[in-house]
Amino acid sequence: MTTYVHGYSESEARRLRDQAGTLAELLHAGTNYPAGSRVLEVGCGTGGQTVQLLARSPTAHLVSVDVSASSLDHARERVAVELPGRDVQWLQADLFDLPFADAAFDHLFICFVLEHLVDPAAALRSLRRLLRPGGTITVIEGDHGSAFFHPATERAQATIQCLIDLQTAAGGDGLIGRRLQPLLTTAGYDDVLVRPRTVYADQTQPELVEGFTSNTFTAMVSGVRDRAIAAGMIDEAAWDEGIADLRRSADSGGTFHYTFFKGVARRS
Amino acid sequence: MTTYVHGYSESEARRLRDQAGTLAELLHAGTNYPAGSRVLEVGCGTGGQTVQLLARSPTAHLVSVDVSASSLDHARERVAVELPGRDVQWLQADLFDLPFADAAFDHLFICFVLEHLVDPAAALRSLRRLLRPGGTITVIEGDHGSAFFHPATERAQATIQCLIDLQTAAGGDGLIGRRLQPLLTTAGYDDVLVRPRTVYADQTQPELVEGFTSNTFTAMVSGVRDRAIAAGMIDEAAWDEGIADLRRSADSGGTFHYTFFKGVARRS
């Protein structure tokens, strides 16, 4: 299928933990599933969103699948530590080949997954059969082209472009957020509603500056340094200058903006 | 000082009317001044925000100034038509040389003005003396670097870049929204709070697509065509292809995103 552009390192696992904590309310507000409802989390990764789903829908029945066995191990451990005693049905599987009957679920949840797929529209179409009529799908994605900041420099922008280009080279789409609405619509879902969920951080919100600007976004871009240089997209000096510039957006007088998109749709 | 990059044509006046109507709630929510408070609108232009201020603060006392006599004529006529009987004190003056005593106002309001100034920080500093201690300033600006859309094309992006570059050449800053927080802070205001106000339009919101994507943003970019070509920034064919691409973001399956920033601060 495709390669997970961010890799599977320990520092990446830590980045995902910081991201999920800082952004939990922004991303998850409005996602609360009723008691007994059957919820499928598609591509749970290391469990960053799984713990949010469990916390916000304490009486729903959650099935979480991922293609990576080691990510599932992380996720299982994370739930055991953060929400001991909470039950999740874990499954290692390819999202294009899930062993569930048609209409087996009331709700699907898929977050930061479509961006890594060669054919996200096909994924959405193939998942649709798992929903009962009237069931909903919730999709959350970022859009790296939504990042802008002060001070603005072309050098910093070039490092972000490396991440976008690596993701494209791996078959994904780092700009997928802006096209969630047409993706869900063409995949056959109804009542599609997509809204931006915006992070804006300046020095009046130091926790958000640290949690998002530094430890989420800049950390994510920094994580592709070696691959970007190895791929000949940028040289070391330009990379280091660009990242230093990007870090200035977290200093006093700096600002940072990023847009996630959250879409909810229904199977009629 | 500087040249108003959008010009003073009739079609520009119409664009500003469409913009103010579509965006009124997004931009003005939260701006309501108490009965009897003395409010100064700095740079009222053709009155697009003036009518909003009057409608939302019906018992405040409004003074609206602009440097352009013809814009003031437009604004006066607009208020007379849309809110007959409502009183505004109109004044033609340079915002750096306003004939008011120190602490003459409870509130300052300045919208889509700083982006056109050579030294917006100096403007904010010079306006500060007009506020009574404890009075507030409200600043609203866009940021043309926040525009992204689907389908994304470099040709469309190039037309937006022409607008940004023309504004820079005229001494302004089309990317000013992202730096409102440091601008207000360094100008000596306290309790600075800046938040994004985001427009996201897709086919599920046809009025917003028409009112904002087409009749506000694309119209604004289209308005600099001749100047961009005359300045040698782009050739006719590239411009027309770029605008055609930009228009596709208003078609079925297209999406458009833009961020305004609204800042409120206090004079201690």
Side-chain angles (χ1 to χ4, degrees):
Chain A
M1 290 212 325
T2 180
T3 314
Y4 183 61
V5 71
H6 308 308
Y8 289 98
S9 67
E10 275 304 314
S11 66
E12 168 63 8
R14 197 177 327 114
R15 182 186 75 80
L16 293 174
R17 263 199 307 280
D18 279 352
Q19 171 179 277
T22 302
L23 299 177
E25 183 59 25
L26 181 82
L27 300 181
H28 288 270
T31 302
N32 311 91
Y33 300 115
S37 54
R38 302 157 299 165
V39 178
L40 176 67
E41 183 188 14
V42 181
C44 65
T46 57
Q49 317 307 324
T50 313
V51 293
Q52 294 297 330
L53 291 171
L54 289 169
R56 283 155 201 274
S57 300
T59 50
H61 176 71
L62 182 63
V63 180
S64 292
V65 306
D66 202 272
V67 70
S68 157
S70 79
S71 291
L72 280 168
D73 286 343
H74 266 104
R76 194 183 283 111
E77 187 188 326
R78 179 168 183 165
V79 168
V81 167
E82 295 186 23
L83 296 166
R86 290 302 301 279
D87 218 34
V88 178
Q89 187 182 331
W90 305 99
L91 180 73
Q92 185 185 356
D94 184 318
L95 66 81
F96 282 99
D97 188 25
L98 292 172
F100 302 111
D102 289 358
F105 293 94
D106 300 300
H107 304 287
L108 305 181
F109 180 87
I110 180 163
C111 179
F112 304 148
V113 172
L114 296 181
E115 62 172 323
H116 300 295
L117 303 181
V118 171
D119 192 345
L124 289 172
R125 272 194 303 274
S126 81
L127 292 171
R128 188 170 164 277
R129 70 164 188 88
L130 300 176
L131 270 184
R132 68 160 166 84
T136 71
I137 182 169
T138 296
V139 183
I140 301 175
E141 292 290 346
D143 190 310
H144 302 336
S146 73
F148 61 93
F149 40 87
H150 176 72
T153 78
E154 288 181 15
R155 303 189 303 189
Q157 204 64 53
T159 64
I160 299 169
Q161 194 59 47
C162 287
L163 170 63
I164 295 169
D165 292 345
L166 281 168
Q167 196 157 349
T168 302
D173 178 7
L175 311 181
I176 198 168
R178 69 188 71 182
R179 63 189 182 101
L180 280 192
Q181 187 270 333
L183 274 173
L184 283 161
T185 302
T186 57
Y189 294 89
D190 294 294
D191 303 331
V192 176
L193 186 76
V194 173
R195 288 292 178 271
R197 301 249 170 152
T198 300
V199 181
Y200 163 73
D202 64 32
Q203 71 182 95
T204 65
Q205 297 163 286
E207 287 180 15
L208 197 55
V209 170
E210 188 185 349
F212 189 79
T213 308
S214 298
N215 294 344
T216 299
F217 189 82
T218 305
M220 175 175 69
V221 177
S222 297
V224 302
R225 178 184 191 276
D226 295 349
R227 271 171 291 163
I229 292 168
M233 291 173 171
I234 196 167
D235 65 39
E236 284 193 34
W239 178 272
D240 294 343
E241 288 167 356
I243 291 291
D245 280 3
L246 191 54
R247 290 213 172 97
R248 277 189 197 101
S249 67
D251 292 345
S252 174
T255 70
F256 192 88
H257 174 285
Y258 187 90
T259 305
F260 295 91
F261 288 86
K262 183 168 184 173
V264 180
R266 188 175 303 279
R267 178 183 184 180
S268 289
Chain B
M1 290 213 328
T2 180
T3 314
Y4 183 61
V5 70
H6 308 308
Y8 290 98
S9 66
E10 275 304 316
S11 65
E12 170 62 8
R14 196 177 326 114
R15 183 185 75 81
L16 293 174
R17 260 199 308 280
D18 279 352
Q19 172 178 277
T22 302
L23 299 176
E25 184 59 24
L26 181 82
L27 300 181
H28 288 272
T31 301
N32 311 91
Y33 299 116
S37 55
R38 301 156 300 166
V39 179
L40 177 65
E41 183 188 16
V42 181
C44 65
T46 56
Q49 317 307 323
T50 313
V51 293
Q52 294 298 328
L53 291 171
L54 289 169
R56 283 156 202 273
S57 300
T59 51
H61 177 69
L62 182 63
V63 180
S64 293
V65 305
D66 203 90
V67 70
S68 156
S70 80
S71 291
L72 280 168
D73 287 344
H74 266 103
R76 193 183 284 113
E77 187 188 326
R78 180 168 181 166
V79 168
V81 168
E82 296 186 24
L83 296 165
R86 291 299 301 278
D87 218 33
V88 178
Q89 186 181 332
W90 304 100
L91 181 71
Q92 185 186 357
D94 184 319
L95 65 82
F96 283 98
D97 188 24
L98 293 172
F100 302 111
D102 288 359
F105 292 94
D106 300 300
H107 303 288
L108 305 181
F109 180 88
I110 181 164
C111 179
F112 305 147
V113 172
L114 296 180
E115 62 171 322
H116 300 295
L117 303 182
V118 172
D119 192 345
L124 289 173
R125 273 194 303 276
S126 80
L127 291 171
R128 187 169 164 278
R129 71 165 187 87
L130 300 176
L131 270 184
R132 69 161 165 83
T136 71
I137 183 169
T138 297
V139 184
I140 300 174
E141 292 290 346
D143 189 312
H144 301 336
S146 73
F148 62 92
F149 39 88
H150 177 72
T153 79
E154 289 182 15
R155 303 189 304 190
Q157 205 64 53
T159 64
I160 298 170
Q161 194 58 47
C162 287
L163 170 62
I164 295 169
D165 292 345
L166 281 167
Q167 196 157 351
T168 302
D173 179 6
L175 311 181
I176 199 169
R178 69 188 71 182
R179 63 188 182 103
L180 280 192
Q181 188 270 333
L183 274 173
L184 283 161
T185 302
T186 58
Y189 294 89
D190 294 294
D191 303 332
V192 176
L193 186 77
V194 174
R195 288 292 179 272
R197 302 248 169 152
T198 300
V199 182
Y200 163 72
D202 64 31
Q203 70 182 94
T204 65
Q205 297 163 287
E207 286 181 16
L208 197 55
V209 170
E210 187 185 350
F212 189 78
T213 308
S214 298
N215 295 343
T216 299
F217 190 82
T218 305
M220 176 176 68
V221 178
S222 298
V224 301
R225 177 185 192 275
D226 294 349
R227 269 171 292 163
I229 293 168
M233 291 173 170
I234 196 167
D235 65 37
E236 283 193 35
W239 178 273
D240 293 342
E241 287 167 357
I243 291 291
D245 280 4
L246 190 54
R247 290 213 171 96
R248 279 189 196 100
S249 67
D251 291 345
S252 174
T255 71
F256 191 88
H257 174 285
Y258 187 90
T259 305
F260 295 92
F261 288 87
K262 182 168 183 172
V264 180
R266 189 174 303 279
R267 178 182 184 180
S268 288

